[in-house]
Amino acid sequence: MPFYLLRAGDCFNTNDSLPGQAAKRSCGTPHDAEVVKVAELNGSYSTDAALKKAASALCEAPLERKAAQQPAGTVRGTLVQYPDPRGYDVGIDNVACSLAADVGSGSHKLTAPLA
């Protein structure tokens, strides 16, 4: 499914060959990441770099707060999924802010909902 359809609390896997896509999984089975917050971009952005900067700013505080609540070694990174300039121009403005274990083929997975 496209990342912009994810909701807070959704668990999913990613695939490097399908950027912008997420394979929803049960949070009780091994998975790459869990959505902490879905935020909405506002403003005018004409480049991918500008969109990335704005999306990262929207996700920074909620991801830091949620990461601080997790047991040591659970979370290994963040994943901020945002639209490209074409998608933003046609009205896709959701940003999925997620905490991740090892994304893709990494061996460390999340195995339960985040705390």
Side-chain angles (χ1 to χ4, degrees), residues 39-58:
E40 187 175 303
L41 289 163
N42 292 303
S44 178
Y45 307 99
S46 59
T47 66
D48 186 68
L51 282 162
K52 180 178 182 177
K53 183 177 179 180
S56 295
L58 288 171

Side-chain angles (χ1 to χ4, degrees), residues 2-112:
F3 80 88
Y4 55 84
L5 295 178
L6 292 169
R7 299 289 169 243
D10 284 348
C11 296
F12 63 96
N13 285 343
T14 63
N15 184 329
D16 289 340
S17 65
L18 297 170
Q21 298 292 312
K24 280 182 70 173
R25 298 286 180 253
S26 165
C27 292
T29 61
H31 55 281
D32 294 335
E34 182 178 331
V35 179
V36 170
K37 179 178 181 152
V38 175
E40 187 175 303
L41 289 163
N42 292 303
S44 178
Y45 307 99
S46 59
T47 66
D48 186 68
L51 282 162
K52 180 178 182 177
K53 183 177 179 180
S56 295
L58 288 171
C59 292
E60 184 176 9
L63 290 178
E64 284 180 4
R65 279 192 303 273
K66 191 69 168 180
Q69 300 170 358
Q70 305 313 305
T74 303
V75 174
R76 294 198 176 171
T78 62
L79 182 59
V80 177
Q81 294 169 293
Y82 59 94
D84 63 18
R86 271 184 303 150
Y88 188 66
D89 286 344
V90 298
I92 299 170
D93 57 6
N94 280 356
V95 175
C97 309
S98 304
L99 290 178
D102 287 341
V103 177
S105 61
S107 60
H108 180 76
K109 301 288 184 184
L110 299 174
T111 57

